[in-house]
Amino acid sequence: QRKTLTGDRAKTYKITGQVTGASDCHIKDFNIDASAMTGTKHALVFQGALAANSLLTGNVAENAFVIPVADGSIFTQDEWVLLTVDTSYYPYSTYSVARGEWVQIRSVSGNNINITTPLVQAYTTATGARLRKCSFVENVLLDNVHITGSGVANSNERGVSFRFARFFEVRSCVFTNLDQYACEVSSCIKFSLHHNRFRGTFYNGVTGTIFYAIVLLDSCQYFTVHDNQGSRSRHLVVTTAASAGQGRWGQVMFG
């Protein structure tokens, strides 16, 4: 935490389990061999957490700027919070994706939360909509980090994961022979993934493994993803959402 870790480019660092990062860290010039990992399959993980929340006391419509809650005292000006509800917004019955979006608080007037931009979706008290605080992992830079997997199909090996994070950057990194989700980002805001290279475990489109280079899940908002290159991948960039009921909400937007 609050450190710069600079690797020796002439060496490769072998890991057998996930490495968990904290806020305010800069990792650069590392070759990481993740082919012998056991247990959890992410090589690097940066994860914050949701904190206190308050139920809505009134319905809010699309384009609304005010959110009435039961306890406005837990929120502060300029704070980023997640507005969620467990009802599905997804148009296909085979999926159950909960609704949600990040909003920034402009001001707090008693139990009325005034936000800086209009809501994209509507939320109702009948469906248990609530406003959730977040403890972010933030200010992380991965620069010229190489992560290599075993190249074995269906091994479910993954590279780096960010969840409930903000103000981070992944640049000039190389992800090789990872089976799935080389760079996974979920419920994050204000980040950039650029000039990275991806080469997955071989996928033939029919019987091989499913490999996605960059996966943007759930309420990812206000970000840039550009100038990345990939091979042996089914998709270079995927935007989607996980199932409801797993502490996940919303869809990717404003990218």
Side-chain angles (χ1 to χ4, degrees):
Q1 189 171 16
R2 295 183 174 85
K3 298 289 185 181
T4 296
L5 301 179
T6 303
D8 183 345
R9 296 297 292 160
K11 299 180 179 179
T12 296
Y13 300 83
K14 188 172 185 176
I15 62 174
T16 56
Q18 85 173 24
V19 177
T20 302
S23 294
D24 304 304
C25 71
H26 180 183
I27 301 175
K28 63 180 295 186
D29 298 339
F30 269 89
N31 295 323
I32 299 174
D33 178 0
S35 63
M37 285 185 62
T38 58
T40 303
K41 291 295 186 177
H42 286 106
L44 301 177
V45 174
F46 299 87
Q47 181 163 328
L50 292 175
N53 67 83
S54 184
L55 286 166
L56 270 62
T57 57
N59 299 336
V60 290
E62 295 178 14
N63 299 317
F65 279 91
V66 180
I67 304 171
V69 296
D71 183 7
S73 66
I74 65 174
F75 301 104
T76 58
Q77 184 179 7
D78 296 327
E79 184 178 17
W80 282 94
V81 289
L82 187 61
L83 178 57
T84 70
V85 68
D86 287 331
T87 55
S88 177
Y89 76 85
Y90 216 70
Y92 301 104
S93 59
T94 53
Y95 293 86
S96 179
V97 178
R99 182 178 300 188
E101 59 189 280
W102 290 103
V103 294
Q104 187 178 27
I105 298 176
R106 179 178 181 179
S107 62
V108 180
S109 302
N111 290 329
N112 287 328
I113 309 301
N114 303 294
I115 58 177
T116 58
T117 55
L119 293 178
V120 176
Q121 302 172 112
Y123 299 83
T124 64
T125 58
T127 52
R130 64 187 66 218
L131 205 57
R132 301 174 183 269
K133 294 172 65 70
C134 184
S135 176
F136 289 99
V137 167
E138 58 188 4
N139 304 324
V140 174
L141 172 59
L142 300 186
D143 183 9
N144 197 26
V145 174
H146 295 201
I147 302 177
T148 303
S150 65
V152 176
N154 300 314
S155 61
N156 199 33
E157 292 173 338
R158 304 184 180 198
V160 59
S161 173
F162 290 88
R163 191 178 186 205
F164 300 124
R166 64 179 178 178
F167 309 141
F168 61 88
E169 183 179 3
V170 180
R171 72 184 185 200
S172 303
C173 294
V174 179
F175 301 86
T176 306
N177 290 338
L178 296 164
D179 178 62
Q180 197 176 60
Y181 294 11
C183 189
E184 179 180 345
V185 184
S186 175
S187 297
C188 296
I189 57 173
K190 301 199 172 186
F191 59 89
S192 180
L193 313 174
H194 62 95
H195 294 95
N196 302 293
R197 290 187 289 125
F198 301 88
R199 182 181 186 274
T201 302
F202 184 69
Y203 175 79
N204 66 8
V206 180
T207 60
T209 185
I210 296 176
F211 172 75
Y212 302 145
I214 299 172
V215 181
L216 305 170
L217 291 166
D218 308 321
S219 298
C220 285
Q221 292 178 206
Y222 310 115
F223 60 89
T224 61
V225 175
H226 63 92
D227 294 287
N228 299 286
Q229 297 183 25
S231 61
R232 288 191 172 184
S233 60
R234 186 174 186 180
H235 300 293
L236 178 61
V237 182
V238 173
T239 60
T240 184
S243 297
Q246 300 179 11
R248 297 176 180 271
W249 295 273
Q251 70 273 40
V252 177
M253 54 185 170
F254 303 121

